[in-house]
Amino acid sequence: MNPAPLVALVGNPNAGKSALFNALTGARQKVGNYPGVTVERKSGRMTLADGRPVELVDLPGAYSLDPGSPDEAVTRDVVMGSQSHERLPSALIVVLDAGNLDNHLRFAFQLIALGLPVIVALNMIDMAERDGLKLDPEVLSRALGVPVVSTVAVRKRGLDELKAALSTVLGDGVIKVRPSADVPEDIVLLQRRARQLSMAATISETPVRRITHLIDTVVLHPVGGLLLLIALFFVIFQAVFAWSEAPIGWIEALFAQMQGGVTALLPEGFFRSLLVDGIIAGVGSVVVFLPQILILFFFILLLEASGYMARAAFLMDRLMASVGLNGRAFIPLLSSFACAIPGIMATRTIDDPKQRLTTILIAPLMTCSARLPVYSVIIGAFIPARDLGYGVGLQGLVWFALYLAGILGAMIVAFVFRHTIAKGANSGFLMEMPRYQMPHIKDVAIGLWQRAWVFLRRAGTIIMMVTVVLWLLLSFPKAPEGQSQVEYSIAGRIASGLEVIVRPIGFNHEMALAVIPAMAAREVAVSALATVYSIEATGDDAETEKSLGERLQGRWSLPTALAFLMWFVFAPQCLSTIAVIRRETNGWKWPIFALAYLFGLAYVAAGATFWGATALGL
Amino acid sequence: MRLDELPLRQSAEILTVDWDVLPPAEARRLREFGFAEGVIIQVRHRSGLFKRGPLACQVGRMLVALRRTHAAAISVSAS
């Protein structure tokens, strides 16, 4: 049997393509990558009225067939039939924003000129009407020579008509034409044609986008807009930490239960230890971040769908420009406060390759949530809970300083990189600011589900592998009776070697040992320290941390503790992040560079802190 | 007058765009956003306090953000 015919959704960014894709395919989507490039391939199945299955692929948004980014190159190659590992589509659904025809029609002209069967979806027709625009699809259809269907993806309006039209143009599904290479390329000429047709198809219109303009007077205000941005992200961060507390507890309980179940089920030995202490504990320590990541992404998706994110980028562009980046880098860096992994993946929206590389390299400097358990233990143990007045506490101030150290470090590093290894013309900041609209809950839900899945899949593969290796290093060779297993293990011996290197920055043997398993995930440092100082984990985290803190107070000096904090601000103690950098940069060069420069920075910063604090007599 | 000097919310016609001073990729993107000679344009918003952040311009039915350095390559005549 022939495979289901391939139909591609193409159109400008902000044409509502993804919403239409979600409406047509529901949750039956596959998200992958085009081979060799970091461009997402989203496909799904839908069934036509006559029962025929169709594979629908959602191509990256593009403004023309002349690509300006890897994403746009994929779009062009697919519709031209020259993308490897992708069939030539049997038909195209060209998605147009009904409220922005003068611009979107230009790309439609080019796509229609390819000669493939085409249907035009006149999308978001309700929004156009809200903006006082009345259009005549008949006029468009006649001028373009293809069927035009009015759709409102989020309300599922026009979907049946779209499928019926698709049924007709697909015919028997056999591709009879090759895409024509003779596509008009003069943008200005095409633009003029687009404007004329748009005018002809417009029955009546009132001044543009009143609601969007009204909101923008507040949101883009030079002062008010910035205050709003800060307030918004303050609330989001509060929510990320406050709302995630309960679900994190559930996940921890679930993994503890699994450990208990396996312990009861299997006899003591190698296999049980591998499962309980290696795999379940290791994967569990990463999966606990899922709630925070999901909450953060819930807000990010909401802000993106509403049209606010482009405004945030606009407001932040000035600041980003001062270190050689542009406003688009703001969103990936923001995500990195929850976890650098989704942050690094979000850099794909940055067109300029040098700026994208710089953003990837500084993303690990943002204080991700995995550092919080470490900060919380050390600050709790060494910084007195003194009130400095005005509601400011000393502990809170140190927290803030650690966040700030990461941000300032990132800015300085970005500045240096943009003038050395990632040198390049400071390309501008050109961005379309979409219209505001109500986010559709189903689109947000699908986006969240896809991110959760990517994260969990990684936890189940790379992270699991790393934790197994670390467990092996910590478990072998077996210590003889009376000797500490941790000290006797390969990791313990590595720590002895490492100690020589980290002694000058105030670290002791136990700390050297703790940073090794913390390579899997930073927060493992806490449990590793707990193990090393042989404290009975009571299963209650707060209790464990408290008693650990008391132990640390007796054994570490204040300069040592501060140096340890600074180490965690900069050190790349997260192999998953390095793995993601490898994937996103297509090679080992940059992940190895990131490891080297981050460790170097951590070493210098921790050392400076240790010696500075010692000199001050702290 | 250059686009970066145009007062807020005043409509103007694009007279010339100095395409050659713009990096080719960005010149193309500007064309794709509908920037061309003869088009009516308006500066809707300015970011930053000291006239150094980007501008948000209305071109056709689109709102487009661009930096002042790019706007300086576009000359307009206020109508």
Side-chain angles (χ1 to χ4, degrees):
Chain A
M1 203 189 103
N2 286 334
L6 182 72
V7 173
L9 275 172
V10 257
N12 285 38
N14 305 314
K17 226 161 31 64
S18 294
L20 191 59
F21 180 73
N22 288 342
L24 285 170
T25 61
R28 291 162 294 170
Q29 304 184 359
K30 262 169 57 186
V31 184
N33 256 321
Y34 283 100
V37 282
T38 47
V39 176
E40 219 166 60
R41 180 186 190 273
K42 260 168 63 176
S43 68
R45 290 223 150 204
M46 70 170 183
T47 315
L48 298 179
D50 54 12
R52 270 194 297 168
V54 165
E55 189 189 359
L56 199 64
V57 56
D58 184 15
L59 294 179
Y63 289 98
S64 75
L65 287 177
D66 187 5
S69 69
D71 286 45
E72 293 190 20
V74 164
T75 297
R76 181 203 54 194
D77 290 347
V78 171
V79 299
M80 306 276 263
S82 55
Q83 172 70 38
S84 60
H85 298 86
E86 185 74 286
R87 294 178 281 157
L88 175 70
S90 304
L92 305 178
I93 298 177
V94 175
V95 188
L96 304 181
D97 173 4
N100 194 5
L101 278 185
D102 11 343
N103 200 277
H104 289 194
L105 271 173
R106 192 196 57 238
F107 189 30
F109 284 139
Q110 286 192 314
L111 291 167
I112 291 167
L114 288 168
L116 297 172
V118 166
I119 298 168
V120 166
L122 198 55
N123 200 24
M124 306 202 276
I125 191 92
D126 59 331
M127 303 283 288
E129 281 161 8
R130 183 193 80 180
D131 280 350
L133 200 63
K134 266 211 169 71
L135 298 170
D136 187 348
E138 280 295 307
V139 174
L140 276 181
S141 178
R142 241 176 291 136
L144 295 171
V146 298
V148 174
V149 181
S150 300
T151 54
V152 181
V154 291
R155 296 193 208 302
K156 300 207 176 296
R157 255 170 62 190
L159 298 189
D160 290 335
E161 291 86 338
L162 192 68
K163 286 184 186 176
L166 192 60
S167 224
T168 315
V169 301
L170 271 177
D172 54 8
V174 180
I175 301 173
K176 297 179 188 73
V177 287
R178 298 298 307 169
S180 157
D182 188 24
V183 173
E185 274 167 6
D186 186 337
I187 294 177
V188 176
L189 210 69
L190 282 167
Q191 186 65 61
R192 202 165 303 147
R193 263 178 73 199
R195 215 166 268 141
Q196 278 162 3
L197 178 54
S198 158
M199 212 123 74
T202 304
I203 301 168
S204 67
E205 71 173 314
T206 49
V208 290
R209 296 184 178 182
R210 266 170 313 177
I211 295 169
T212 290
H213 280 168
L214 208 67
I215 302 175
D216 269 341
T217 42
V218 179
V219 167
L220 294 185
H221 190 273
V223 182
L226 267 181
L227 291 178
L228 185 72
L229 180 89
I230 293 165
L232 208 56
F233 286 109
F234 182 76
V235 170
I236 291 175
F237 274 97
Q238 287 292 314
V240 165
F241 293 115
W243 298 0
S244 62
E245 229 167 275
I248 286 176
W250 303 334
I251 291 174
E252 281 173 344
L254 180 75
F255 275 87
Q257 221 168 34
M258 279 163 68
Q259 286 178 314
V262 173
T263 308
L265 216 63
L266 293 174
E268 195 179 340
F270 168 78
F271 194 60
R272 187 175 90 179
S273 177
L274 171 67
L275 270 180
V276 173
D277 305 326
I279 295 175
I280 300 178
V283 171
S285 69
V286 180
V287 172
V288 290
F289 291 108
L290 189 63
Q292 292 186 337
I293 290 176
L294 286 185
I295 295 167
L296 184 74
F297 267 108
F298 169 72
F299 284 108
I300 288 179
L301 286 169
L302 219 57
L303 292 181
E304 246 163 24
S306 68
Y308 182 79
M309 268 312 183
R311 271 79 182 177
F314 178 77
L315 292 167
M316 296 307 289
D317 181 62
R318 175 75 198 92
L319 189 66
M320 293 294 181
S322 63
V323 294
L325 296 175
N326 79 37
R328 284 176 199 264
F330 175 67
I331 300 156
L333 293 178
L334 185 80
S335 309
S336 302
F337 278 107
C339 176
I341 293 166
I344 288 169
M345 293 196 296
T347 59
R348 292 175 182 184
T349 54
I350 303 170
D351 304 334
D352 185 306
K354 297 276 177 56
Q355 294 194 348
R356 174 161 182 256
L357 177 65
T358 309
T359 312
I360 288 175
L361 291 175
I362 65 169
L365 288 173
M366 299 292 128
T367 302
C368 69
S369 51
R371 288 168 169 97
L372 302 186
V374 182
Y375 289 2
S376 137
V377 167
I378 309 291
I379 290 179
F382 289 94
I383 309 295
R386 200 166 2 145
D387 190 6
L388 301 178
Y390 305 104
V392 178
L394 186 60
Q395 290 190 338
L397 199 66
V398 174
W399 273 102
F400 181 72
L402 292 173
Y403 267 89
L404 204 65
I407 297 170
L408 285 178
M411 307 269 297
I412 294 167
V413 169
F415 184 82
V416 171
F417 284 179
R418 288 290 286 145
H419 288 83
T420 51
I421 53 164
K423 191 150 63 177
N426 203 352
S427 67
F429 169 67
L430 283 171
M431 199 172 185
E432 178 186 350
M433 307 240 232
R435 195 169 33 193
Y436 289 106
Q437 50 187 345
M438 270 317 268
H440 194 58
I441 196 70
K442 193 182 155 194
D443 292 332
V444 173
I446 289 176
L448 264 185
W449 161 246
Q450 285 168 352
R451 275 163 178 97
W453 179 240
V454 166
F455 180 78
L456 287 175
R457 203 172 45 192
R458 200 184 333 275
T461 53
I462 301 172
I463 295 174
M464 186 161 110
M465 217 176 69
V466 170
T467 50
V468 168
V469 169
L470 279 168
W471 174 83
L472 285 172
L473 290 178
L474 279 163
S475 306
F476 292 95
K478 282 280 168 234
E481 201 66 40
Q483 278 203 47
S484 154
Q485 171 60 36
V486 181
E487 296 292 335
Y488 197 76
S489 68
I490 304 173
R493 293 163 199 211
I494 296 175
S496 301
L498 204 61
E499 199 191 334
V500 182
I501 306 170
V502 295
R503 174 75 61 194
I505 60 170
F507 283 23
N508 55 33
H509 182 72
E510 290 77 11
M511 292 160 83
L513 193 60
V515 298
I516 298 173
M519 286 303 293
R522 290 177 173 89
E523 73 280 14
V524 176
V526 173
S527 56
L529 281 173
T531 314
V532 179
Y533 287 115
S534 63
I535 290 163
E536 290 267 296
T538 52
D540 180 344
D541 261 1
E543 190 48 42
T544 314
E545 289 182 9
K546 194 173 144 213
S547 46
L548 174 61
E550 284 165 358
R551 275 302 167 93
L552 293 179
Q553 277 176 353
R555 291 162 196 253
W556 292 9
S557 67
L558 180 58
T560 291
L562 292 176
F564 197 63
L565 284 176
M566 278 318 266
W567 175 266
F568 272 89
V569 170
F570 295 106
Q573 299 255 261
C574 175
L575 287 177
S576 324
T577 301
I578 301 301
V580 171
I581 295 179
R582 198 206 77 80
R583 209 189 59 193
E584 296 292 314
T585 57
N586 269 321
W588 280 110
K589 181 179 165 194
W590 293 112
I592 288 169
F593 175 80
L595 267 177
Y597 108 80
L598 288 167
F599 271 131
L601 212 58
Y603 192 83
V604 171
T609 306
F610 177 72
W611 290 109
T614 306
L616 287 171
L618 290 175
Chain B
M1 186 188 317
R2 295 182 341 210
L3 178 60
D4 58 326
E5 300 162 343
L6 187 68
L8 276 184
R9 293 184 189 84
Q10 181 170 358
S11 290
E13 187 187 334
I14 297 182
L15 293 177
T16 56
V17 183
D18 195 350
W19 298 112
D20 298 334
V21 303
L22 298 168
E26 287 166 14
R28 195 200 52 238
R29 188 65 92 207
L30 270 182
R31 284 200 191 93
E32 288 173 350
F33 283 154
F35 283 72
E37 286 79 358
V39 170
I40 302 299
I41 193 167
Q42 225 186 57
V43 179
R44 302 279 323 175
H45 306 277
R46 285 200 184 100
S47 166
L49 289 178
F50 307 105
K51 293 201 164 190
R52 293 179 64 190
L55 309 172
C57 300
Q58 184 81 43
V59 186
R61 296 188 81 89
M62 267 168 85
L63 190 63
V64 174
L66 76 162
R67 285 198 179 150
R68 281 165 214 255
T69 44
H70 291 70
I74 300 167
S75 67
V76 297
S77 86
S79 45

